[in-house]
Amino acid sequence: MKLTDILNGQFNANEWEEKGYQLPKFNIEAVRRKTHEEPTWVHFGGGNIFRAFPAAILNDALNTGKYDRGVIVAETFDFEVIDKAYTPYDNLSLLVSLQSTGTIEKKVIASVTEALKADPQFPDWQRLVEVFRAPSLQMISFTITEKGYSFNEADLARGLKPVFAMGKVTALLLERFNAGQLPLTIQSMDNCSHNGDKVKAGVFAYAERWVKEGIAPQAFLDYLKDETKITFPWSMIDKITPRPHVKVQELLAADGFEDNNYIETEKHTFTAPFVNAEEVQYLVIEDHYTNGRPPLDLGGALYTTRETVDQVETMKVTTCLNPLHTAMSIYGCLLGYTLISAEMADKDLRDFIQKIGYIEAMPVVTDPGVLNPYEFIGAVINRRLPNPFMPDAPQRIAMDTSQKLPIRFGETIKKYIARGLDMSNLQLIPLTLAGYARYLKGIKDDGTPFEPSPDPMLEELQAIVAPLEVGKQDQDYSCLHQLYSRKDVFGLDLYEAGLGEQIEGMVKELYAGNGAVRATLHRYVAAR
């Protein structure tokens, strides 16, 4: 069983279906022809998240029979991905959905019609120019990570020969402008807040420079700023797509599926002909398009307003997911865990994050309407975090914690104050913040040392708690005032918020000695 069999006449559909492989219900060759003639969607970034999510929901849309165009993927960074993960497999891939039950679902993804190297050094560039000049093109989108939207003076100075992704995209947009100022929507699908603004900032930086230097006319910049022609909608995307999993490789090999090799490029991109991802996924998109759009809602995407996208993002990062991750990472490191899924089998930790979400953070959540906050948390706790296929570690999540605390917890506390809510309802969020003072010490609950995860403020904050010793009686905890009054770390002065003394008391309990972390955690969680 090989992906290339599907198009070369060596294909036995019954064998695949008997082994649980969901096959495309549409005519692959017909979709490819139609897309080549009248392309509607180009996606930049050919990595695992693209194949597991945007390409997969388009595949579902095509399966309905209500749409007839695929997606053209363009890679701007690691061109080996095209050579090793797309071309050898006829641009087909296998999506393996990792279920929280420990089982897998398998689906062949055939919505990608072309895979191109987005750089003028390759012949593919002329095809991209042709596509960008096509009136049928509706949307370009991105999963290139937040770093992919960056630019610098050196690249801006390269004129129409940029190296960075945003420069290449702007050069292609200039082609579209020259073809008649054709409309287009530029859609980020990266997991970062207000992602459409990041694309806009990158594109405008190049366009403004080129206009200033006479490389492009002022009308080009006017075209990009005309929202009847060009738009940069926001979106919220959420789906965990880890590296190819060894256990998945073994399961596929047992089926007789031969395309289960592991690929690592020279740039250390980790991929495979298959992509494994969690079962739960969300894609909420601002519905602001100028030339129509692919019907991704047929595959489960939610189209809504910019305000609602922002509410969904805020719900996720301040209540329903990110704060729970951070609370688990701090206490997971202290209790010696190395897997998030293993933490979820610990009743104290499971109840800890469940009560943070449902009891303490939920009172200040704005329900966005398109996603229910209670159901979102339920999926996190019952299906996402316990998933045995997810090799995520508290040590990874604990990276840059000082940069995360202001949003993940500070915003909730601010809303309690702004709305005049009873601050005594906050017990486990303060316990999380108290745990951070013990985490900075780098000593686990059993008394053994651990290395806190990388953080730009780590040494500075560790110096504050340096006078404290685990297990020392009657020590001076006055250094904590220096920590918990830091607005840059917590988003506000926790003493001014009325929580400083409460948190100090919790820190004293956590520093009492070996076993104090578990005992303190259990006591406060049980009391809620």
Side-chain angles (χ1 to χ4, degrees):
M1 297 170 60
K2 301 175 69 174
L3 289 169
T4 50
D5 292 343
I6 294 175
L7 294 176
N8 70 8
Q10 306 296 317
F11 183 52
N12 184 341
N14 290 334
E15 179 185 6
W16 288 64
E17 290 173 348
E18 286 171 1
K19 294 182 178 180
Y21 290 74
Q22 300 175 40
L23 299 171
K25 298 177 182 178
F26 54 92
N27 185 314
I28 299 172
E29 294 289 5
V31 167
R32 291 186 174 189
R33 285 194 301 271
K34 185 70 171 176
T35 305
H36 192 273
E37 295 166 0
E38 297 180 349
T40 55
W41 179 15
V42 174
H43 183 88
F44 290 88
N48 294 330
I49 183 63
F50 163 67
R51 291 188 293 155
F53 201 177
I57 60 176
L58 178 61
N59 199 82
D60 289 344
L62 289 167
N63 279 337
T64 67
K66 298 178 181 179
Y67 193 57
D68 60 0
R69 244 70 62 90
V71 58
I72 298 168
V73 67
E75 177 59 39
T76 62
F77 172 69
D78 193 341
F79 304 120
E80 275 189 273
V81 170
I82 302 298
D83 291 333
K84 294 184 176 180
Y86 283 89
T87 303
Y89 307 101
D90 292 337
N91 297 330
L92 303 174
S93 61
L94 182 72
L95 170 59
V96 181
S97 293
L98 310 173
Q99 311 293 301
S100 57
T101 57
T103 59
I104 62 174
E105 291 183 356
K106 299 160 287 191
K107 180 187 296 185
V108 174
I109 304 302
S111 57
V112 179
T113 62
E114 298 174 66
L116 307 174
K117 299 175 184 178
D119 193 281
Q121 67 177 302
F122 299 109
D124 291 349
W125 184 258
Q126 289 307 310
R127 171 58 179 159
L128 276 171
V129 169
E130 177 185 324
V131 170
F132 266 73
R133 296 177 70 93
S136 60
L137 187 64
Q138 298 174 330
M139 174 176 79
I140 61 172
S141 59
F142 306 85
T143 50
I144 56 176
T145 76
E146 188 168 0
K147 293 179 181 179
Y149 301 110
S150 63
F151 54 90
N152 61 27
E153 177 61 29
D155 207 51
L156 291 171
R158 291 189 179 100
L160 293 177
K161 296 182 179 180
V163 174
F164 288 13
M166 288 296 96
K168 296 174 183 179
V169 168
T170 308
L172 290 167
L173 290 171
L174 182 57
E175 294 284 352
R176 192 162 183 81
F177 166 80
N178 290 331
Q181 301 192 32
L182 301 172
L184 186 69
T185 289
I186 302 171
Q187 177 72 68
S188 173
M189 295 182 180
D190 270 301
N191 185 19
C192 50
S193 182
H194 302 172
N195 48 22
D197 289 348
K198 292 178 170 52
V199 189
K200 180 191 287 188
V203 168
F204 281 13
Y206 286 91
E208 288 169 355
R209 180 65 169 264
W210 296 351
V211 168
K212 181 179 179 181
E213 295 183 354
I215 295 171
Q218 176 64 40
F220 175 52
L221 189 56
D222 296 339
Y223 159 73
L224 294 176
K225 293 182 176 181
D226 182 351
E227 291 197 0
T228 67
K229 300 283 183 63
I230 302 293
T231 54
F232 299 85
W234 294 358
S235 71
M236 189 287 289
I237 188 169
D238 187 16
K239 186 179 182 73
I240 299 174
T241 308
R243 295 176 180 179
H245 200 292
V246 173
K247 185 176 180 181
V248 173
Q249 286 180 299
E250 295 170 349
L251 291 170
L252 297 177
D255 284 341
F257 182 78
E258 298 180 41
D259 294 329
N260 54 40
N261 54 303
Y262 192 85
I263 299 167
E264 180 180 357
T265 70
E266 289 186 5
K267 291 185 176 180
H268 303 296
T269 298
F270 299 92
T271 187
F274 68 90
V275 54
N276 44 226
E278 67 170 332
E279 59 184 305
V280 180
Q281 60 187 31
Y282 306 95
L283 180 57
V284 185
I285 303 173
E286 177 189 353
D287 196 359
H288 192 191
Y289 289 76
T290 58
N291 196 34
R293 55 171 167 76
L296 297 185
D297 47 333
L298 294 175
L302 300 173
Y303 288 100
T304 184
T305 64
R306 171 169 289 200
E307 180 183 17
T308 301
V309 172
D310 196 37
Q311 289 172 347
V312 171
E313 180 77 25
T314 301
M315 178 190 79
K316 183 184 81 165
V317 302
T318 67
T319 303
C320 295
L321 176 61
N322 297 24
L324 312 188
H325 256 160
T326 292
M328 291 188 76
S329 71
I330 291 172
Y331 278 87
C333 291
L334 290 171
L335 294 173
Y337 282 102
T338 57
L339 282 175
I340 290 294
S341 56
E343 285 192 67
M344 289 304 291
D346 184 316
K347 188 177 187 305
D348 286 334
L349 288 170
R350 185 186 181 94
D351 290 351
F352 180 42
I353 64 167
Q354 184 166 297
K355 291 177 178 180
I356 285 176
Y358 284 130
I359 297 176
E360 300 195 6
M362 195 64 75
V364 295
V365 169
T366 298
D367 186 342
V370 295
L371 289 176
N372 183 289
Y374 289 90
E375 294 176 359
F376 195 105
I377 290 181
V380 168
I381 292 172
N382 298 315
R383 298 167 63 193
R384 304 183 72 180
L385 298 180
N387 195 317
F389 286 107
M390 293 293 115
D392 216 347
Q395 290 76 18
R396 186 194 71 80
I397 296 170
M399 292 175 62
D400 303 328
T401 295
S402 70
Q403 313 299 295
K404 300 171 181 176
L405 293 173
I407 299 297
R408 299 186 179 191
F409 298 101
E411 290 303 309
T412 292
I413 296 170
K414 288 178 184 178
K415 288 176 183 176
Y416 264 78
I417 296 170
R419 300 180 188 183
L421 298 179
D422 185 359
M423 298 292 282
S424 68
N425 188 50
L426 297 177
Q427 297 292 323
L428 301 184
I429 287 178
L431 184 64
T432 301
L433 303 181
Y436 189 51
R438 173 66 194 258
Y439 168 88
L440 289 170
K441 198 66 183 176
I443 298 176
K444 290 188 284 189
D445 198 28
D446 62 6
T448 61
F450 72 92
E451 185 175 346
S453 301
D455 187 307
M457 300 182 72
L458 182 60
E459 291 185 8
E460 178 185 352
L461 298 180
Q462 283 185 311
I464 295 175
V465 300
L468 302 180
E469 296 181 33
V470 175
K472 183 179 179 180
Q473 303 300 314
D474 301 322
Q475 60 184 318
D476 183 3
Y477 285 91
S478 61
C479 62
L480 292 177
H481 196 284
Q482 185 182 351
L483 176 64
Y484 290 112
S485 60
R486 293 280 296 261
K487 296 181 181 181
D488 57 335
V489 177
F490 300 100
L492 71 172
D493 182 326
L494 291 165
Y495 293 91
E496 293 177 357
L499 296 173
E501 288 77 10
Q502 176 188 0
I503 294 172
E504 276 192 22
M506 293 173 167
V507 174
K508 293 176 184 178
E509 295 179 62
L510 292 168
Y511 267 84
N514 292 351
V517 173
R518 170 66 68 178
T520 304
L521 176 67
H522 178 77
R523 182 164 56 255
Y524 280 96
V525 170
R528 294 298 282 159

